[in-house]
Amino acid sequence: MLSGTPEGGIGSAPLVAGVDEAGRGPLAGPVVAAAVVLCKPCPGGLADSKVLSAAARAKLEASIRARCVYGIAVVDVEAIDRLNIFGATMLAMTLAVERAEAALGQTVAEALIDGNLTPQGRSPGWRWPARAIVKGDAKERCISAASILAKEYRDRIMREAALAHPHYGWERNMGYGTREHVEALRTYGPTPHHRRSFAPVAQLEMFA
């Protein structure tokens, strides 16, 4: 599911969505963004997804999906190559907040964005007050929750893609440019999941 809301509702206070993405840097696969409005009480143990163990992330993901409002958006490789990765990330964040708001049935009062820039003025569909927070996934629990959903969802996409393209080690590197991945690229060439606009892939195609 790409959106959801708890059965018990969320309350009527000004609603803040935490927003984060996964997959800006890899050579292959989509970029995924999530937006989360926390419930009360919110799940315990929320932290930046990168510092959590796989088991802790999986447990928290299930809790967030069951108890919080969320929206998830996937922007594919074709859009990344067409828009560039920054534009694709801003689009993914916009779609994620749209889906969370639709599930919520109320207007989001503010979006807290992990990083130093927001989609405001950078994505045509963005319409919410927004605040950028550097390292926000370690400072704001709603952003931590979004980082967990985005990473878990994208990791599943890459593990599934690895079944059809086993040479690149995506079940381990999630599409990032590890030595294993780059060596497989040189040997087998790019797949439809590779980002042609990223330099290592573009260079290999140029000299193929």
Short mmCIF file of all heavy atoms in Angstrom, two decimals, residues 41-70:
data_model
loop_
_atom_site.label_atom_id
_atom_site.label_comp_id
_atom_site.label_asym_id
_atom_site.label_seq_id
_atom_site.Cartn_x
_atom_site.Cartn_y
_atom_site.Cartn_z
N PRO A 41 -0.03 7.86 21.26
CA PRO A 41 1.43 7.99 21.33
C PRO A 41 2.08 7.43 20.07
O PRO A 41 1.55 6.50 19.46
CB PRO A 41 1.80 7.14 22.55
CG PRO A 41 0.73 6.09 22.59
CD PRO A 41 -0.53 6.76 22.11
N CYS A 42 3.20 8.01 19.70
CA CYS A 42 3.86 7.54 18.47
C CYS A 42 4.71 6.31 18.79
O CYS A 42 5.02 6.04 19.95
CB CYS A 42 4.71 8.66 17.87
SG CYS A 42 6.21 9.02 18.77
N PRO A 43 5.09 5.55 17.77
CA PRO A 43 5.92 4.37 18.01
C PRO A 43 7.23 4.74 18.70
O PRO A 43 7.86 5.76 18.39
CB PRO A 43 6.18 3.84 16.59
CG PRO A 43 5.03 4.35 15.79
CD PRO A 43 4.70 5.70 16.35
N GLY A 44 7.65 3.92 19.64
CA GLY A 44 8.90 4.16 20.34
C GLY A 44 10.09 3.69 19.53
O GLY A 44 9.98 2.83 18.66
N GLY A 45 11.27 4.29 19.78
CA GLY A 45 12.50 3.85 19.14
C GLY A 45 12.76 4.44 17.78
O GLY A 45 13.66 3.98 17.07
N LEU A 46 12.00 5.47 17.37
CA LEU A 46 12.21 6.07 16.05
C LEU A 46 13.59 6.73 16.00
O LEU A 46 14.01 7.42 16.92
CB LEU A 46 11.13 7.10 15.76
CG LEU A 46 9.73 6.56 15.55
CD1 LEU A 46 8.72 7.69 15.44
CD2 LEU A 46 9.67 5.68 14.29
N ALA A 47 14.28 6.52 14.88
CA ALA A 47 15.62 7.09 14.67
C ALA A 47 15.89 7.09 13.17
O ALA A 47 15.12 6.51 12.38
CB ALA A 47 16.68 6.27 15.40
N ASP A 48 16.96 7.74 12.79
CA ASP A 48 17.39 7.73 11.40
C ASP A 48 17.49 6.28 10.92
O ASP A 48 18.13 5.45 11.57
CB ASP A 48 18.75 8.44 11.30
CG ASP A 48 19.37 8.40 9.91
OD1 ASP A 48 18.74 7.90 8.97
OD2 ASP A 48 20.51 8.88 9.79
N SER A 49 16.87 5.99 9.79
CA SER A 49 16.84 4.61 9.31
C SER A 49 18.23 4.03 9.09
O SER A 49 18.43 2.82 9.21
CB SER A 49 16.04 4.53 8.00
OG SER A 49 16.67 5.30 6.98
N LYS A 50 19.21 4.89 8.79
CA LYS A 50 20.56 4.41 8.49
C LYS A 50 21.28 3.85 9.71
O LYS A 50 22.24 3.11 9.57
CB LYS A 50 21.39 5.54 7.85
CG LYS A 50 20.87 6.00 6.49
CD LYS A 50 21.77 7.04 5.85
CE LYS A 50 21.73 8.37 6.57
NZ LYS A 50 20.40 9.02 6.50
N VAL A 51 20.85 4.24 10.91
CA VAL A 51 21.53 3.76 12.11
C VAL A 51 20.79 2.59 12.76
O VAL A 51 21.29 2.02 13.74
CB VAL A 51 21.70 4.90 13.15
CG1 VAL A 51 22.43 6.08 12.53
CG2 VAL A 51 20.37 5.34 13.75
N LEU A 52 19.66 2.22 12.23
CA LEU A 52 18.88 1.11 12.79
C LEU A 52 19.27 -0.21 12.14
O LEU A 52 19.63 -0.25 10.95
CB LEU A 52 17.39 1.36 12.57
CG LEU A 52 16.77 2.54 13.30
CD1 LEU A 52 15.37 2.82 12.75
CD2 LEU A 52 16.72 2.28 14.80
N SER A 53 19.17 -1.27 12.87
CA SER A 53 19.39 -2.60 12.29
C SER A 53 18.22 -2.94 11.38
O SER A 53 17.13 -2.35 11.48
CB SER A 53 19.49 -3.65 13.39
OG SER A 53 18.23 -3.81 14.04
N ALA A 54 18.43 -3.89 10.49
CA ALA A 54 17.36 -4.31 9.58
C ALA A 54 16.15 -4.82 10.37
O ALA A 54 15.00 -4.53 10.01
CB ALA A 54 17.88 -5.39 8.64
N ALA A 55 16.40 -5.54 11.45
CA ALA A 55 15.29 -6.07 12.26
C ALA A 55 14.52 -4.94 12.92
O ALA A 55 13.29 -4.96 12.96
CB ALA A 55 15.84 -7.04 13.30
N ALA A 56 15.23 -3.94 13.43
CA ALA A 56 14.56 -2.81 14.09
C ALA A 56 13.75 -2.00 13.08
O ALA A 56 12.63 -1.57 13.37
CB ALA A 56 15.60 -1.92 14.78
N ARG A 57 14.32 -1.79 11.88
CA ARG A 57 13.59 -1.06 10.84
C ARG A 57 12.31 -1.78 10.46
O ARG A 57 11.25 -1.17 10.30
CB ARG A 57 14.45 -0.85 9.60
CG ARG A 57 15.42 0.30 9.66
CD ARG A 57 15.91 0.70 8.28
NE ARG A 57 16.37 -0.42 7.50
CZ ARG A 57 17.63 -0.86 7.51
NH1 ARG A 57 18.53 -0.28 8.28
NH2 ARG A 57 17.98 -1.88 6.75
N ALA A 58 12.40 -3.09 10.28
CA ALA A 58 11.22 -3.86 9.88
C ALA A 58 10.13 -3.79 10.94
O ALA A 58 8.94 -3.63 10.61
CB ALA A 58 11.62 -5.32 9.62
N LYS A 59 10.52 -3.88 12.20
CA LYS A 59 9.53 -3.80 13.29
C LYS A 59 8.90 -2.41 13.35
O LYS A 59 7.68 -2.28 13.49
CB LYS A 59 10.22 -4.13 14.61
CG LYS A 59 9.27 -4.21 15.79
CD LYS A 59 10.01 -4.65 17.04
CE LYS A 59 9.05 -4.73 18.23
NZ LYS A 59 9.76 -5.16 19.47
N LEU A 60 9.71 -1.38 13.20
CA LEU A 60 9.19 -0.01 13.23
C LEU A 60 8.32 0.28 12.02
O LEU A 60 7.31 0.98 12.12
CB LEU A 60 10.34 0.98 13.32
CG LEU A 60 10.95 1.15 14.72
CD1 LEU A 60 12.28 1.87 14.64
CD2 LEU A 60 9.98 1.90 15.64
N GLU A 61 8.71 -0.24 10.86
CA GLU A 61 7.89 -0.02 9.67
C GLU A 61 6.47 -0.53 9.89
O GLU A 61 5.48 0.15 9.58
CB GLU A 61 8.49 -0.70 8.44
CG GLU A 61 7.67 -0.45 7.19
CD GLU A 61 7.97 -1.42 6.05
OE1 GLU A 61 8.44 -2.54 6.34
OE2 GLU A 61 7.71 -1.05 4.90
N ALA A 62 6.36 -1.74 10.43
CA ALA A 62 5.03 -2.31 10.67
C ALA A 62 4.23 -1.45 11.66
O ALA A 62 3.03 -1.22 11.48
CB ALA A 62 5.17 -3.74 11.20
N SER A 63 4.91 -0.95 12.68
CA SER A 63 4.24 -0.12 13.68
C SER A 63 3.79 1.21 13.09
O SER A 63 2.67 1.68 13.35
CB SER A 63 5.18 0.10 14.87
OG SER A 63 4.54 0.85 15.87
N ILE A 64 4.64 1.83 12.28
CA ILE A 64 4.30 3.11 11.65
C ILE A 64 3.11 2.94 10.72
O ILE A 64 2.16 3.74 10.74
CB ILE A 64 5.52 3.67 10.88
CG1 ILE A 64 6.65 4.04 11.85
CG2 ILE A 64 5.12 4.91 10.06
CD1 ILE A 64 8.01 4.19 11.17
N ARG A 65 3.13 1.90 9.92
CA ARG A 65 2.02 1.66 8.98
C ARG A 65 0.71 1.41 9.72
O ARG A 65 -0.37 1.80 9.25
CB ARG A 65 2.35 0.48 8.07
CG ARG A 65 3.33 0.80 6.95
CD ARG A 65 3.63 -0.46 6.16
NE ARG A 65 4.45 -0.22 4.99
CZ ARG A 65 3.96 -0.04 3.76
NH1 ARG A 65 2.66 -0.07 3.55
NH2 ARG A 65 4.77 0.16 2.74
N ALA A 66 0.78 0.76 10.86
CA ALA A 66 -0.44 0.42 11.60
C ALA A 66 -0.98 1.60 12.39
O ALA A 66 -2.19 1.72 12.58
CB ALA A 66 -0.15 -0.75 12.54
N ARG A 67 -0.09 2.49 12.84
CA ARG A 67 -0.50 3.48 13.83
C ARG A 67 -0.39 4.93 13.37
O ARG A 67 -0.80 5.83 14.11
CB ARG A 67 0.34 3.29 15.10
CG ARG A 67 0.11 1.95 15.77
CD ARG A 67 1.10 1.71 16.89
NE ARG A 67 1.07 2.81 17.87
CZ ARG A 67 2.01 2.98 18.80
NH1 ARG A 67 3.05 2.16 18.86
NH2 ARG A 67 1.93 3.99 19.65
N CYS A 68 0.15 5.19 12.20
CA CYS A 68 0.36 6.57 11.74
C CYS A 68 -0.25 6.77 10.36
O CYS A 68 -0.53 5.81 9.64
CB CYS A 68 1.85 6.90 11.68
SG CYS A 68 2.70 6.66 13.26
N VAL A 69 -0.42 8.02 9.99
CA VAL A 69 -0.83 8.36 8.62
C VAL A 69 0.42 8.42 7.76
O VAL A 69 1.43 9.02 8.17
CB VAL A 69 -1.56 9.72 8.59
CG1 VAL A 69 -1.86 10.12 7.15
CG2 VAL A 69 -2.84 9.66 9.40
N TYR A 70 0.37 7.83 6.58
CA TYR A 70 1.57 7.87 5.74
C TYR A 70 1.19 7.91 4.26
O TYR A 70 0.09 7.51 3.86
CB TYR A 70 2.47 6.66 6.01
CG TYR A 70 1.88 5.34 5.57
CD1 TYR A 70 2.11 4.85 4.29
CD2 TYR A 70 1.08 4.60 6.43
CE1 TYR A 70 1.56 3.64 3.88
CE2 TYR A 70 0.54 3.39 6.03
CZ TYR A 70 0.78 2.92 4.75
OH TYR A 70 0.23 1.74 4.35
#
